[in-house]
Amino acid sequence: MFGTLGIWEILGILIVVALLFGGKKLPELGKGLGESIKNFKDSFKKDEKEKINNGDEEVNNNAKDN
């Protein structure tokens, strides 16, 4: 995605974002983005653990049936 953008293009985008949102809003936006990413990762890990636990239960149930 960023392979075609050079350092100057990325820098220009960051400057425009800073001008649009201002210095006071940028920390709030960063905090919100960080919390969103953390929540996404936590829910992903939770789903993975549930899948692993469900898989173990299915294996145990199959072993009991045989």
Side-chain angles (χ1 to χ4, degrees), residues 45-57:
K45 287 178 184 177
K46 181 181 174 184
D47 288 343
E48 287 294 318
K49 286 181 182 179
E50 288 177 3
K51 286 181 184 178
I52 290 171
N53 289 337
N54 289 338
D56 289 344
E57 290 173 5

Side-chain angles (χ1 to χ4, degrees), residues 1-64:
M1 181 175 158
F2 293 111
T4 59
L5 293 178
I7 188 73
W8 294 108
E9 288 87 2
I10 295 172
L11 187 62
I13 292 169
L14 291 176
I15 290 172
V16 169
V17 169
L19 291 173
L20 287 175
F21 292 106
K24 293 181 181 179
K25 291 283 185 179
L26 286 177
E28 294 173 15
L29 289 171
K31 182 180 177 184
L33 181 64
E35 289 175 354
S36 299
I37 293 171
K38 182 182 178 206
N39 289 336
F40 177 77
K41 286 182 179 180
D42 289 344
S43 65
F44 185 75
K45 287 178 184 177
K46 181 181 174 184
D47 288 343
E48 287 294 318
K49 286 181 182 179
E50 288 177 3
K51 286 181 184 178
I52 290 171
N53 289 337
N54 289 338
D56 289 344
E57 290 173 5
E58 289 178 13
V59 170
N60 291 336
N61 289 337
N62 289 338
K64 289 179 184 178

